[in-house]
Structure formats: structure tokens, C-alpha cells
Amino acid sequence: MEAFLFTVDVFFMFLLVLSVVRSDRKAGEKRDLGFFSYRESRDKG
Amino acid sequence: MRDLMMLGGMIALIPLSLANAFAAYLLWGWTGVLTPANYLYGFMQSIRYNMLFALITLVMILVAGIREKGIFKLNWTTGLLILFGIQAVVAASLGYANNPFNWEYCSNLLKILVFVLLMPLFMTSRLRIHALLIVLVLGLGLHGFLEGAKYLVSGGGHHVAGIPMSMVGDNNHFAVALVMTVPITYYLFQYSERSLVRLGFLGVTFFLVIAVIGTYSRGAFVCLSIVGLWFIFISKHRVAAFICVAIIGLLIMTLAADTWFDRISTIKTATEDASFMGRVSAWRASSSLALQHPIFGGGFHAVQVQYVWDSFKMSPGLLTFIDVPEEFIRDTARAAHSIYFEVMGDLGFVGLTIFLALLVNAQITCAKIRKLCRQIGPSVDWARDLANMLAISLLAYMVGGASVSLGYYELVYVIIMLIAVVHLFLLEQVKTSTGVQVLR
């Protein structure tokens, strides 16, 4: 019982921390750069 | 197996803590009250989880310069906590030599003070305060839930001991810590949204009470009774609260073993009891030590050092009005057995004054919170209820602590700071909603 409850406790803590991290995460920046962005930027002048 | 599970848990938790300083702070608090090493027996036991997450938090805040939403403000609570820390360092520096407890307790206290002084940086919303309360219950509640369940399953045969390797290693200490946790779990029961979660917190509250009974601690029984009465007194629905307390009382009467009643009935004959009179002799020795060193005391747990005990054990100290027969005065050094005499002997009368000021100030702040809540309206009912529960928790400590050496217990300082944080939160709310400067 002890091992089970300890595991549940760690799992709940993980869920709490995960939800904190996810809710505090800033909105992702615009993903508009690729591997050839430099080359393309030169072509565009 | 548990070690492998913990390894898996750490592999998941450490990156999360590195991604978010508040997550690291919560893990710091959780490992502080849980002491995971107690539940591990293999290669994961020797890891200092608490230090690990404390370091991650501090590095993120101080070195990496990650800005949290809150700011640190000097007020009565933070000022007194800083003063208490300074007093502790000076007392430890000037304390008796060859005291193995001195710097161990001092550094523990300083770590706790760092943790609580960082709290205003993180606790900027109701949600975050709620998260910290859940963390406290996940830490301390687990111990109580387990021990309560063992006591119940064994039909009262299991004797609840303390948590080894922690400040609540003694059954009496553990009992006081559990009584202090009960109001927090009750608050979480009151304010959780989902009925399954509410039921879970109610179950934890019940098992915590059962675990308190299982400790056979007389002090904790008195403490639990006072908490019950105070709970009825401050409750909005007094009849319901009375019925609730009465049901718990009846359950205790039904579930407690005969040996428990035998033990509790000795409260009436305390003056003939070796355990109680031994405590009085420890209080006398601690107060004698404080009279000898009134400003800075003798250093942390100096009274537990044999040569210091030998010098003070026969002096009546401040308790000249209580006669302790010589057969009750032990030859071997013993702990102060009271938060008040502990702080008095360790940090002198100055340290005791700061300590008492911290406790009284926290209760006054709770009254200010209630007043502010009346001013703001029903939207902050949660703050009033939380302040009430934290005030009960602190009252449990002030009553139960009279017979145990728990002066530097983490939970107390966390509660004191939480009260200050809730107060600050309400003041900010009043300021932003009305633009009116409220008197602090």
C-alpha cells in the first residue's frame, strides 16, 4: 500500500507541475524560418 | 521498484522544473515536507531532492535572472522573518561549543527562511496559492493518510510513529504537524471544483484525524479538541460545523483502542506523570539557560548537550512555582519539549520576542484579511476562508507546540508567509479595482 500511495503521490505532483508549466508557457513565436532562410533572404534582396 | 519509479519521476520532473521557476519552487516545497528518502530503499535514497530543487529555483531566479510576476516587499512579516534569521545566525555563532545540533538546526532554519522569503515572488494569484496548498497536502498529507490507513486497518493496533529523517520524527511532533494540516485539507475540500477531488480531500482530512489518534499524543488530542471548538466558533454554518465535529468525535470514540483512552486519561494526573514532569524539568533548564544568556541564548538545542544540561538541570529558571521531584530530573540531556522554551533557550529572550511577534502578527494579519474581504465582497470569500483555516492551523501550532520542540518547523513559516501573501494579494486587488490607497 505504501509503495502504491507513494507512486500516486509522485504522479499527482507530476500532473500538477506539468499543468503549471503548460499554463505558464508563452504563446509560441511565429515559425517562419527554415533551413534555407538565409539563402532565400539573399535572393529576395 | 520504488527507486526505478522515482528515477522515472525525476527524469520527468527535473526538465519541467528547469522550464519554469514556479514549478521548481513547488517541487522544492514538496520535497521539503515529503522527505522522499523515507520511501526509498535503493540507489535513489541518497539523493538530496530538496537541495536539488532549491538550487534549480535559486539559479533560475538569481543567476539566470528569470523574472517572476511578484515583487519582494518589506513588511511586518518579511521584516520579522529577516530579523529572526539574523538572530539565529548570531545566536549560533555565539552558542556553546561542541554542540552538534547548533549549525545543523541553524542552516535548516535559514533554508526554510529563504524558501518563505521567496514566496511573494511566486504567489501572485489565487491559482498559485491553491497550487502551493495542494503541494503541502501532497507532501504532509501522504504521511498522514498512510499512517491513518494503517491505524484503521489494524483496528487500532498500529502505533503511529513520526517520519524518520525529518523534523517530525517523534510521534508527538508528527501529531502536531498533522493537526496543522487538517485545516488546509479542509479548505481544499471546500474550494475544489470536481466532486471526486473534493471527496479525495475529505478522505485525506478524515485519515489525518485518525492518524492523530494513532499517535497516542495527549498534547495533540488537546490541540485537536481546541481546533474543533475554534472551527465551530468561526464557521459560517455553526450548526453544520458542530454536527461535523460531533461526528468526528463519535468516530474517535468508536475507533480508538482502549489503550488510547488509558493514555489520554493520564492528562488528569499529569503532575504525577514522569513524562510530563520530565518536560517541566526540560522547560526549567531551558529557561535557566535563557536567564544566563538573555540576549542571544545558548545556540540551537544547546540544552541537549550533556555538559550544558548538567549545568542547568537543577535550576528552576522561570518556573520557580513548580516543584519537580528529583526522581523526575533526568541525568541525560533532553530536548526543550516546547516551542516557546526551545526558542527561549536557543535564541534568548530577543529571539523569543521575534518568534512570538511572528505568530501574533500572523493572527492579526488574518483579522485584517477578514476585514478586507468584507470590504471587497463575496468575490474574495475564498481568501477569508483560507485566512480562517490558516489561523486555525497556526492556533494548533501555538497550542500543540507548547509541549513539543518544533520551533523551527517548516510548515509554520510557510503558513505565516502564506497569510502575508494573501493579505498582499487583497491589498493589490483593492488598489487596482478602486484606485484607493488602503491603509496597511
Side-chain angles (χ1 to χ4, degrees), chain B residues 246-274:
Chain B
I247 289 171
I248 291 172
L250 279 172
L251 274 172
I252 292 170
M253 304 287 266
T254 318
L255 296 170
D258 290 342
T259 45
W260 183 81
F261 289 104
D262 294 343
R263 174 75 179 152
I264 298 303
S265 64
T266 59
I267 291 174
K268 288 181 276 185
T269 54
T271 48
E272 297 155 27
D273 180 55

Side-chain angles (χ1 to χ4, degrees), chain B residues 12 36-37 51 97 105 137 171 243 270 332 351 371 374 379 414 430:
Chain B
M51 198 176 80
Y105 275 85
V137 173
N171 66 322
I243 293 168
T332 47
K371 198 177 163 190
R374 277 198 297 273
S379 63
V414 170
V430 171

Side-chain angles (χ1 to χ4, degrees), chain A residues 1-26, chain B residues 2 5-6 12-13 16 19-20 22-23 26-27 30 34 39-41 128 131 135 138 142 145-146 149-150:
Chain A
M1 185 173 72
E2 195 174 286
F4 170 74
L5 284 175
F6 179 61
T7 308
V8 169
D9 199 79
V10 175
F11 180 67
F12 280 158
M13 193 62 208
F14 168 71
L15 284 185
L16 181 72
V17 166
L18 185 68
S19 52
V20 164
V21 172
R22 286 174 77 117
S23 69
D24 281 3
R25 191 179 286 161
K26 287 176 196 151
Chain B
R2 285 187 211 189
M5 184 280 298
M6 195 62 183
L13 289 171
L16 287 174
N20 185 305
F22 178 55
L26 289 180
L27 285 162
W30 177 63
L34 178 70
Y39 296 94
L40 303 166
Y41 299 102
R128 285 190 162 201
V135 164
L138 281 177
L142 174 71
F145 187 87
L146 262 171
K150 283 180 194 170

Side-chain angles (χ1 to χ4, degrees), chain B residues 86-279:
Chain B
I86 294 169
Q87 177 74 10
V89 173
V90 178
S93 311
L94 302 176
Y96 280 94
N98 302 322
N99 176 359
F101 310 103
N102 198 15
W103 285 106
E104 183 197 332
Y105 275 85
C106 183
S107 61
N108 276 343
L109 176 67
L110 293 178
K111 282 178 216 164
I112 294 162
L113 292 181
V114 170
F115 178 79
V116 296
L117 285 169
L118 283 175
M119 204 185 284
L121 300 184
F122 294 106
M123 297 298 141
T124 47
S125 66
R126 182 187 169 194
L127 201 62
R128 285 190 162 201
I129 292 169
H130 199 82
L132 182 65
L133 294 173
I134 293 175
V135 164
L136 293 177
V137 173
L138 281 177
L140 257 173
L142 174 71
H143 304 305
F145 187 87
L146 262 171
E147 295 299 320
K150 283 180 194 170
Y151 183 78
L152 205 63
V153 169
S154 66
H158 174 67
H159 195 119
V160 177
I163 306 302
M165 295 184 270
S166 73
M167 272 196 197
V168 288
D170 179 88
N171 66 322
N172 295 303
H173 293 194
F174 186 44
V176 173
L178 292 177
V179 179
M180 288 173 71
T181 317
V182 167
I184 298 174
T185 53
Y186 185 77
Y187 169 81
L188 290 171
F189 155 71
Q190 270 185 307
Y191 280 93
S192 292
E193 191 185 2
R194 290 173 193 269
S195 44
L196 194 66
V197 179
R198 283 166 62 83
L199 199 67
F201 283 123
L202 191 66
V204 174
T205 311
F206 171 74
F207 280 107
L208 288 181
V209 174
I210 295 296
V212 173
I213 304 303
T215 59
Y216 286 73
S217 169
R218 293 173 297 180
F221 173 70
V222 174
C223 184
L224 197 61
S225 311
I226 290 171
V227 165
L229 289 175
W230 188 248
F231 176 69
I232 296 170
F233 179 69
I234 63 158
S235 181
K236 271 187 296 179
H237 313 287
R238 287 188 188 160
V239 178
F242 176 77
I243 293 168
C244 191
V245 172
I247 289 171
I248 291 172
L250 279 172
L251 274 172
I252 292 170
M253 304 287 266
T254 318
L255 296 170
D258 290 342
T259 45
W260 183 81
F261 289 104
D262 294 343
R263 174 75 179 152
I264 298 303
S265 64
T266 59
I267 291 174
K268 288 181 276 185
T269 54
T271 48
E272 297 155 27
D273 180 55
S275 164
F276 178 74
M277 291 314 281
R279 273 180 192 172

Side-chain angles (χ1 to χ4, degrees), chain B residues 84 86-97 99 102 285-303 307-308 312 340-354 408:
Chain B
F84 196 57
I86 294 169
Q87 177 74 10
V89 173
V90 178
S93 311
L94 302 176
Y96 280 94
N99 176 359
N102 198 15
S286 288
S287 57
S288 308
L289 197 153
L291 287 170
Q292 185 85 30
H293 307 280
I295 311 292
F296 294 113
F300 285 82
H301 285 216
V303 81
Y307 78 92
V308 181
F312 294 102
Y340 307 107
F341 287 100
E342 179 188 13
V343 177
M344 187 197 291
D346 294 0
L347 310 179
F349 289 105
V350 176
L352 178 68
T353 308
I354 302 170
Y408 317 110

